[in-house]
């Protein structure tokens, strides 16, 4: 069986109930994380895989991480299995809550490492755009990858936009 750890970062407005006994935003996200963890724990048991679940609330979404010995089969060659597992987990949450989930799933730190690499790519691209004054288009990326790049570009003071159609959608970093 797996151990669960929950870390929640909140502000005063996060914990204020939204009236008439409805749960706060953080409570709703924590509930999403609990539902997802139950679903994933069952999946790990069925697949006879060892893994510990870590639940968190990051900004405006629940985040669940599965860590364990070798869970590469839950990631896939380029994260495609992880993407599919995330969608299945979101569907499990939707089935229970009736609301669409933006839950983020990570397995064995794959997304965390990917995020670090994408921030480095975004920083290099921002420097290139600032030096040349010309927009730069990046290779096609998944929605997760594009979101990380958009956030890093915005943090550096530039703007970016997504162009193209899935699965060939990509980010264009624009000069100031």
């Amino acid at each position: 069986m797996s151990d669960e750890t929950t870390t929640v970062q909140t502000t005063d407005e996060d914990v204020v109930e939204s009236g008439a006994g409805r749960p706060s935003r953080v409570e709703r996200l924590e509930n999403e994380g609990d539902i997802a963890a139950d679903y994933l724990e069952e999946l790990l048991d069925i697949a006879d895989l060892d893994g510990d679940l870590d639940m968190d609330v990051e900004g405006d979404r629940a985040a669940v991480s599965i860590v364990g010995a070798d869970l590469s089969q839950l990631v896939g060659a380029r994260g495609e299995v992880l993407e599919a597992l995330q969608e299945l987990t979101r569907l499990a949450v939707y089935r229970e809550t009736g609301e669409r989930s933006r839950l983020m799933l990570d397995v064995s730190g794959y997304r965390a490492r990917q995020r670090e690499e994408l921030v480095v790519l975004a920083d290099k691209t921002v420097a290139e755009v600032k030096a040349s004054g010309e927009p730069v288009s990046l290779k096609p990326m998944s929605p997760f990858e594009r979101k990380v790049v958009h956030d890093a570009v915005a943090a550096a003071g530039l703007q970016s936009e997504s162009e193209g159609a899935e699965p060939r959608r990509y980010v264009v970093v624009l000069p100031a």
Side-chain angles (χ1 to χ4, degrees):
M1 217 36 127
S2 39
D3 298 326
E4 296 180 10
T5 305
T6 303
T7 307
V8 179
Q9 299 171 347
T10 62
T11 64
D12 290 340
E13 65 187 46
D14 289 331
V15 294
V16 174
E17 291 200 350
S18 52
R22 292 194 337 228
S24 70
R25 181 185 68 81
V26 169
E27 289 169 332
R28 286 190 312 272
L29 294 174
E30 287 174 339
N31 184 49
E32 281 186 21
D34 288 339
I35 294 166
D38 290 344
Y39 174 78
L40 292 166
E41 190 169 321
E42 245 181 86
L43 179 106
L44 290 172
D45 286 345
I46 290 168
D48 196 28
L49 296 171
D50 291 327
D52 294 325
L53 298 170
D54 181 25
M55 296 182 303
D56 198 357
V57 173
E58 296 175 359
D60 60 348
R61 58 176 72 195
V64 177
S65 297
I66 305 173
V67 294
D70 179 22
L71 297 171
S72 59
Q73 65 271 38
L74 295 180
V75 175
R78 292 189 191 98
E80 66 275 353
V81 176
L82 174 56
E83 289 288 333
L85 184 57
Q86 177 175 276
E87 287 307 312
L88 289 172
T89 305
R90 287 176 173 177
L91 284 172
V93 171
Y94 177 77
R95 185 186 68 218
E96 293 291 321
T97 66
E99 295 182 18
R100 186 178 178 279
S101 173
R102 296 182 61 231
L103 176 126
M104 186 60 65
L105 177 63
D106 193 4
V107 175
S108 297
Y110 176 81
R111 285 201 197 273
R113 288 187 303 278
Q114 194 178 29
R115 182 184 313 266
E116 290 172 5
E117 293 169 7
L118 290 165
V119 168
V120 168
L121 172 65
D123 290 345
K124 288 179 182 177
T125 305
V126 163
E128 181 182 341
V129 169
K130 284 181 177 179
S132 72
E134 297 295 321
V136 173
S137 298
L138 300 176
K139 66 178 177 48
M141 298 179 175
S142 71
F144 165 76
E145 294 168 326
R146 290 193 311 269
K147 169 84 168 95
V148 171
V149 171
H150 286 306
D151 289 349
V153 168
L158 291 184
Q159 293 184 343
S160 59
E161 54 191 31
S162 291
E163 294 185 4
E166 293 295 349
R168 309 256 339 127
R169 199 153 167 80
Y170 58 95
V171 174
V172 178
V173 180
L174 305 168

